[in-house]
Amino acid sequence: MHRLNGLFFFGIFLFSFLAMAACEKESTAPAASTAAALVGRWELTHTTGGLTGHVLTADPNRKREIIFTADGQAELIVNGIITGISPYTLTQALSRTTRQSRPYLAYGPDGPDTQQYIEQISPTSLILAQDFEDGISSYFIRR
């Protein structure tokens, strides 16, 4: 009888240990690395999507750029002139369209209503996408 009780408690201990080992906390490292990679000057090259799904090359006569600073500011620039400065926020949330966790970026006059997520970021390129089925994706290169 004592042997069965010991085996029973050992089984509960082993199950509890394995259950706790299987649990993982969500890492904040991807958000931190995304935030660090975002800092810099980005020039719009083209957009895709929308209702028509066309690719629209950026107007060379209206050069649009965004500077994301390390202190959380976004500077919107057109033809070298700052047209607006606003704080930006970077959060992690489930995408409505993909149902995957994505980094969301809010900046500019619309702030939290921008509905953009970072589709891709690398040392040289950035893709921001609206979280709608017919949303527009904006492609940037680092300057």
Side-chain angles (χ1 to χ4, degrees):
M1 182 73 167
H2 292 288
R3 185 177 175 140
L4 287 177
N5 282 342
L7 191 57
F8 175 75
F9 286 114
F10 177 76
I12 289 176
F13 171 78
L14 183 62
F15 176 78
S16 299
F17 176 77
L18 292 174
M20 286 190 310
C23 294
E24 286 186 40
K25 290 185 177 180
E26 188 171 319
S27 174
T28 58
S33 64
T34 299
L38 185 63
V39 172
R41 186 180 197 119
W42 300 95
E43 181 182 342
L44 180 68
T45 59
H46 65 283
T47 60
T48 63
L51 292 175
T52 63
H54 287 84
V55 175
L56 296 173
T57 304
D59 182 352
N61 295 319
R62 192 167 190 265
K63 183 177 173 183
R64 294 173 42 196
E65 298 173 290
I66 305 172
I67 297 175
F68 295 104
T69 65
D71 64 350
Q73 295 294 311
E75 298 177 7
L76 308 175
I77 301 169
V78 177
N79 292 335
I81 299 170
I82 296 175
T83 59
I85 298 175
S86 72
Y88 70 88
T89 58
L90 189 61
T91 58
Q92 195 79 15
L94 279 180
S95 165
R96 287 185 246 181
T97 54
T98 67
R99 302 307 302 158
Q100 295 177 353
S101 182
R102 301 268 184 155
Y104 275 80
L105 178 65
Y107 66 94
D110 296 331
D113 297 327
T114 44
Q115 304 284 337
Q116 292 184 319
Y117 63 86
I118 297 176
E119 187 173 318
Q120 180 182 339
I121 190 164
S122 76
T124 59
S125 65
L126 169 67
I127 303 172
L128 300 178
Q130 293 175 328
D131 198 8
F132 303 110
E133 293 297 332
D134 59 353
I136 295 173
S137 294
S138 301
Y139 292 72
F140 297 85
I141 57 172
R142 188 180 295 274
R143 288 289 179 213

